[in-house]
Amino acid sequence: VQLVESGGGSVQAGGSLKLSCAASRWPSRPYCMAWFRQGPGKEREGVALIDSAGTTTYADSVKGRFTTSRDNTKNTLWLQMNSPKPEDTAMYYCAAEPYSWYRSFKDEYTYWGRGTQVTVS
């Protein structure tokens, strides 16, 4: 499974940005997918995840502002970023784990993309 993120760029605080993660194919079912980010001088942190049933979980820092969803027909995972803040500036990565009904941000993920940079000013 190859994951390729896109949609990053520069955005003003309070604006919006939509990231996408294109998968060469969906991981073997059941599967979970997640978004992580790593800001300058910071550790990687979980942002949003969607489990095999479609249930979503968000980090407290983005809850109410970010939304993740997936399009199974297009093998694409989305991250809609509304009202971004400067502290959201980071490299954003998508990750996927096959054969998994549920994952948390602390669990391991087998497949990772190379990331897309988001800069909020």
Side-chain angles (χ1 to χ4, degrees):
V1 176
Q2 293 183 333
L3 304 175
V4 180
E5 302 92 338
S6 62
S10 296
V11 62
Q12 289 190 339
S16 64
L17 199 64
K18 190 172 187 177
L19 308 183
S20 64
C21 172
S24 56
R25 61 175 176 82
W26 278 146
S28 300
R29 295 182 179 183
Y31 62 88
C32 297
M33 299 192 74
W35 289 95
F36 289 80
R37 67 185 182 187
Q38 187 165 16
K42 298 181 180 180
E43 293 187 354
R44 188 176 66 194
E45 63 176 350
V47 176
L49 67 87
I50 183 166
D51 69 17
S52 188
T55 301
T56 53
T57 301
Y58 299 94
D60 288 342
S61 59
V62 306
K63 201 172 293 183
R65 300 187 297 120
F66 291 8
T67 302
T68 191
S69 60
R70 65 182 181 221
D71 185 333
N72 292 330
T73 65
K74 298 180 179 179
N75 289 0
T76 302
L77 178 72
W78 307 98
L79 182 68
Q80 177 68 47
M81 304 172 61
N82 294 331
S83 301
K85 303 175 182 179
E87 51 263 45
D88 295 321
T89 294
M91 183 73 79
Y92 283 73
Y93 302 89
C94 71
E97 179 66 19
Y99 304 117
S100 180
W101 288 107
Y102 174 78
R103 306 298 281 178
S104 74
F105 293 133
K106 295 182 180 180
D107 291 324
E108 294 293 325
Y109 287 77
T110 300
Y111 303 108
W112 290 84
R114 293 187 176 184
T116 186
Q117 178 67 38
V118 172
T119 302
V120 185
S121 59

